[in-house]
Each structure stands twice: as structure tokens, then as C-alpha cells.
Amino acid sequence: MTDLFNALGIADDATGGSLSVRSPIDGAEIGRVRTTDPAAMEGMILRAQEAFRVWREVPAPRRGELVRLLGEELRAAKADLGALVTLEAGKITSEGLGEVQEMIDICDFAVGLSRQLYGLTIASERPGHRMMETWHPMGPCAVISAFNFPVAVWSWNAALALVCGNPVIWKPSEKTPLTAIASMKILGRALARFGDAPEGLVQLAIGGPEIGETLVASSAIPIVSATGSTRMGRIVGPRVAARFGRPILELGGNNAMIVAPSADLDMAVRAIVFSAVGTAGQRCTSLRRLIVHHSVRDELVGRLVKAYGSLRIGDPRAEGTLVGPLIDTASRDRMVAALDRARAEGGTVHGGQVVEGVPGGAYIQPALVEMPAQTGVVCEETFAPILYIMGYETLDEAIALQNAVPQGLSSCIFTLNLREAEAFVSAAGSDCGIANVNIGPSGAEIGGAFGGEKETGGGRESGSDAWRGYMRRQTNTINWSSALPLAQGVRFDI
Ligand code: NAD
């Protein structure tokens, strides 16, 4: 651990503070981090505003150069930062590395984007006039992030915000401050190579909800991108909206897969196991509900019970481990309570036993739960590896079940029937922000816009045109004639 902290330059930051950081691997304290004084937040916000005045005038391709350098520094630090993600968030090694790769990918994407922040030209009804749209930087962007993607979510937001001309203030999860500090050190190297970025362009605020709340309340911060539970979004969303700020909300999911009679079950089993137990079920896009056609239900459940029985659960750093710990024992207790509730609501549970992976860590067998119906517990997001299984007879019934939960993040269907596949992604199909065919609901690529509807919050981040959420649109009408005609034929002669 000491070597890792030294390699990432965070050894000094990991001692002497009041915030105790524990590794989910064994529950041991790995650091004591200094939190940000709430009284210091005002100064931080002022520095971000000053940085904005400079950064908004730096040409976007030059801003992209900073993000390009960040991508280079992340490549160099990938192994170390990935190992720290594993230590602090408990992800298995390849998922820790994958998270850093996602940061690199979004940097590459944002560099290209820095030359493509373009708007439309629009035909004017008036002679000698031209209309166009210009996209301008918006102002400081607060990024509030969750523990389960402790660094990638920041990079999705920061890479875009920076090329769009906005400074960033990052409030990471209080459970994962070390990976945030390490990311800032990596960014610091990119900033040093870049040379003339304004001070305060990217700042880190460490602490709990009270620190996040100062960002949420400040009208000097036009964009608040908040990732976390729906509970948090219910507080943050209305507060930002009340001051006419722009919230980008990425909240809880309750993602489903429909398995149709024609599905390739070999592929479905692999997709289900990865989506439901990967990251120990702690992805916003984790598979939580399986809606299986009655004709293939018994076979599929049998194969899943077998596959679940062979999962290696334990130290996420060990070769061959597929399921690491939950973030903490409270999270494990919530899973146990949800399984009890599922039983009380008529469910039959396979797995779900607490296991001694590494003493001190919160290890538990992923659970498959056969449900008689989509009961109350199934409609809630329990952030743990529980997969509820329900049957269906007609596709309409399956789609109705899939959509009958309050969340709307990710969804998928496994079918070889073109009509079913197209129906699922049609206007009358899945109501989620992500709808896949023959791919699980998790593990999205950065090229697409990421986010979901309903209680997932409606925000979009990452690829496609999500960058527009970080800029303000200006409509320009240019009159290059010598007359002054009014639109809609209005006459106003003086
Ligand atoms: P959480 O809601 O407990 O905390 C998330 C962040 O919000 C933390 O930084 C926390 O300090 C902050 N926060 C909490 N209350 C706040 C308040 N009143 N004001 C300002 N900030 C506040 O979530 P968590 O347990 O860290 O993460 C798990 C949740 O995040 C799950 O529900 C998961 O689905 C969701 N998630 C969603 C996405 C997505 O893209 N949709 C991605 C990752 C995680």
C-alpha cells in the first residue's frame, strides 16, 4: 500500500485528517483524509468563477490539449490508479483497470469534441439575413459523484466540461476520497505540462453531503452534475432547479432483461452473470430483474443456479476472483434485509449467504430470487447482487413489467426475432435511457449518451451530444442588408 500511495503521490494526503477511509476488502483503515472546511467553499467557488473568465476565452481546441495531456497521464498511471480503485472501492482488478480505461476513452472523445462544438445555420425568412446557433461556455460545473465509479464519473463530466470552457469543482463520495486525490495529482501533471491554465480550473472539495450542499445552493455554479441515489437526487434536483441552475442527474436504476423464446441462451447466461454480479451488483446499470418467457424459464434458471455456484468470491485483487466485497457492512445488511423481504413477498432465494471472503470485508454470495410477481421489493433498487426472476407469456406483458418500475436507466432483450427486437426499442417498447438487443444492460461505451429517465433523473453524460448540457446555446441573427425588415411581416414604420 505504501508503494502504491508513493507512486500516486498521495502518501501525505492520506494521513492526519479526520475522514477515515476504509478498504472494503478487509475493513482496515487505509487513510485519514483532511476534509474541506465548509467555510472555505465560498473562496473555492470564487476561484472557479475567476478561472471561468479566463478559460472561456481559451480556444476550444487548445482546451482540448489539456484533456489530451490528461489522457496521456492517465495512460501512464493506469495500473496504479486501477489498483487504488480496487483498494478503495473493492472492484476486482480488471474492473479497476477498466474504470481508468473509461477515463482515457472519454479524454480521447473530448479531444475530438474540442474541434466539433458546432451549431446550426438556419434559413432566415428575411432577405439579407443569416441565422445561426453558437454554443458558449456556461460557467463552473459542480460534479458530485458516487462511490461505485469513484473516478470515471468525474472524468465523464470533467473532460466534457473542460473542453466546453467550464471550470470544475469535484465533490467525490466521502467513501472514496483517495482515488479522487490521486486523480487530481494526475491532472496536476497534465496541468504542469499544459502551462498556462488558470488557477482554480479544477478543484476538489472533500466531505459529505454538507459540502455537496454548498455547491447545490450556489447560484455562481450554473451546472450541478450529481450522480448517486434517487434519494440524493430528490434533494439536489429541486434545489438546483429552484435557483434556475441546470441539474444533470444520474440516479438509481432497476435494470431488466427480457429473455424471449428464441434467445441464444449461451449468450444470455454470460450476459446475465456479468451484468448481475459484476462489480458485486454495485453498478447503476447492474441487472436486477430477469423477465423470462415461461418456455425457457426452467432451463435458464437451472443454468444460472449452476453458474452462480461456481463464482469465485473473495479478495478482488486475487487472480480468478469475479465477485469482490460490497462497499461496507451496512450495504451487506441491506441486501440481507431485501432477501428477507423477498421471501416474505413469496420469493424463493438461491444463494445470498454471507461468506467469509477476507475477514473484515462485507462478502456475500450473489442471489437469484424467483418471484411470483413484481412485488414491492422488486421495484426498489437494492445496491447489491440480487437478481429477481419473473416469468411472462406475451411480449406486451414482458415490456409492461419491464416498464412498471419507477426507475428508467438501462434495459435489454435477448431474442433472435427481429420483430421482438424492434418492438423493444420502439416508441412503445422500453422506457429507459438505454435499451439493448442481445447485450446486457451494463458496461456502456463512452461514445453514447449515458443516462436514464423517470427516477433515474433524466440527465445525459459522456458521448453523443451530451456536451450540449455543459454549454449555453445562443441564437444569432446577422443582418447584412441595408434594410430592417421585421419577422412575420410586422410593419412598424417611424
Ligand atoms: P449517495 O446518493 O449516497 O451519494 C452520492 C453522492 O451524493 C455522494 O458524493 C454524497 O456525499 C452526495 N450527497 C448525498 N446527499 C447529498 C445532498 N443532500 N446534497 C449534496 N450531495 C449529496 O450514493 P452512493 O451510495 O454513493 O452511490 C450509489 C447510488 O448511485 C446508487 O443508487 C446508484 O444507482 C447510483 N449511481 C447512478 C449512476 C448513474 O449514472 N445513473 C452512476 C453511479 C451510481
Side-chain angles (χ1 to χ4, degrees):
M1 193 174 88
T2 316
D3 287 350
L4 181 62
F5 284 15
N6 284 334
L8 287 164
I10 60 166
D12 290 344
D13 302 271
T15 54
S18 59
L19 178 62
S20 171
V21 187
R22 295 186 176 275
S23 171
I25 297 174
D26 57 4
E29 185 172 86
I30 53 172
R32 291 195 73 84
V33 170
R34 283 177 288 282
T35 53
T36 305
D37 180 354
M41 292 303 292
E42 203 183 316
M44 198 178 264
I45 293 167
L46 272 175
R47 275 195 296 285
Q49 282 181 300
E50 278 160 25
F52 177 56
R53 282 189 272 279
V54 177
W55 193 241
R56 67 185 174 186
E57 295 202 57
V58 175
R62 171 82 183 133
R63 300 194 296 246
E65 172 63 6
L66 172 61
V67 176
R68 192 187 69 76
L69 293 169
L70 173 60
E72 275 190 9
E73 294 297 337
L74 283 165
R75 281 179 171 86
K78 180 176 171 181
D80 290 333
L81 187 58
L84 188 62
V85 169
T86 292
L87 185 68
E88 195 178 44
K91 295 191 180 193
I92 63 170
T93 299
S94 77
E95 288 185 318
L97 292 170
E99 174 151 1
V100 184
Q101 186 59 45
E102 209 168 313
M103 303 173 83
I104 295 166
D105 292 346
I106 194 68
C107 286
D108 287 355
F109 180 89
V111 174
L113 190 63
S114 72
R115 293 181 183 270
Q116 300 176 74
L117 303 170
Y118 36 58
L120 302 169
T121 53
I122 300 153
S124 168
E125 67 187 57
R126 288 172 280 189
H129 284 57
R130 181 169 65 84
M131 287 171 72
M132 62 183 183
E133 283 180 347
T134 311
W135 290 86
H136 289 302
M138 183 92 179
C141 171
V143 180
I144 297 173
S145 58
F147 78 83
N148 67 318
F149 276 94
V151 285
V153 165
W154 167 70
S155 68
W156 295 350
N157 284 280
L160 261 58
L162 286 172
V163 300
C164 290
N166 305 327
V168 172
I169 301 179
W170 180 15
K171 207 296 284 175
S173 166
E174 54 276 35
K175 293 176 185 169
T176 53
L178 290 171
T179 41
I181 294 169
S183 299
M184 291 295 283
K185 301 275 177 191
I186 293 164
L187 174 70
R189 291 201 278 277
L191 283 164
R193 288 171 63 194
F194 182 79
D196 57 355
E199 199 216 332
L201 183 60
V202 183
Q203 302 176 81
L204 184 65
I206 293 180
E210 70 292 350
I211 293 292
E213 275 163 15
T214 60
L215 298 168
V216 169
S218 172
S219 53
I221 299 185
I223 309 168
V224 177
S225 174
T227 299
S229 58
T230 295
R231 188 201 57 77
M232 174 276 285
R234 271 191 219 290
I235 301 170
V236 168
R239 285 195 187 157
V240 176
R243 60 170 175 81
F244 299 102
R246 186 183 291 175
I248 301 176
L249 298 177
E250 301 285 349
L251 312 174
N254 192 354
N255 317 294
M257 178 192 292
I258 296 173
V259 182
S262 65
D264 178 331
L265 288 189
D266 291 339
M267 272 172 62
V269 167
R270 283 172 49 207
I272 291 165
V273 176
F274 171 70
S275 313
V277 315
T279 324
Q282 297 171 116
R283 287 187 183 219
C284 50
T285 51
S286 288
L287 179 63
R288 310 206 179 278
R289 296 178 296 136
L290 194 59
I291 303 168
V292 197
H293 192 265
H294 291 306
S295 62
V296 288
R297 181 172 175 164
D298 287 349
E299 183 185 349
L300 185 60
V301 172
R303 289 171 70 166
L304 287 174
V305 170
K306 191 158 169 251
Y308 268 50
S310 66
L311 290 170
R312 288 259 304 265
I313 304 166
D315 191 325
R317 296 164 299 190
E319 182 81 28
T321 297
L322 289 178
V323 185
L326 293 180
I327 189 70
D328 52 27
T329 48
S331 189
R332 187 180 62 192
D333 293 347
R334 278 194 291 274
M335 173 162 168
V336 171
L339 292 177
D340 285 345
R341 197 172 146 205
R343 281 187 198 93
E345 292 177 8
T348 304
V349 178
H350 308 270
Q353 301 298 315
V354 171
V355 291
E356 269 313 316
V358 182
Y363 295 83
I364 189 161
Q365 285 174 343
L368 291 163
V369 187
E370 294 189 74
M371 294 301 294
Q374 189 155 271
T375 61
V377 73
V378 183
C379 295
E380 291 176 13
E381 180 197 49
T382 301
F383 211 54
I386 302 177
L387 181 59
Y388 299 107
I389 304 171
M390 293 157 291
Y392 80 89
E393 200 52 57
T394 65
L395 185 64
D396 283 351
E397 188 193 338
I399 291 174
L401 265 180
Q402 128 79 34
N403 291 344
V405 293
Q407 312 82 357
L409 181 51
S410 190
S411 61
C412 63
I413 187 168
F414 270 71
T415 181
L416 299 182
N417 179 320
L418 180 72
R419 286 181 178 158
E420 288 185 335
E422 289 289 341
F424 184 71
V425 297
S426 75
S430 165
D431 64 1
C432 291
I434 298 169
N436 298 333
V437 176
N438 294 331
I439 302 176
S442 74
E445 297 177 30
I446 57 93
F450 183 88
E453 309 301 341
K454 302 193 290 185
E455 288 191 2
T456 303
R460 289 297 184 278
E461 287 174 352
S462 197
S464 185
D465 64 353
W467 61 270
R468 293 177 182 207
Y470 301 80
M471 301 198 87
R472 63 185 169 89
R473 181 199 309 244
Q474 192 171 68
T475 301
N476 311 122
T477 306
I478 315 291
N479 177 3
W480 49 275
S481 74
S482 50
L484 197 63
L486 298 177
Q488 295 92 37
V490 173
R491 300 289 305 267
F492 204 83
D493 298 327
I494 51 169

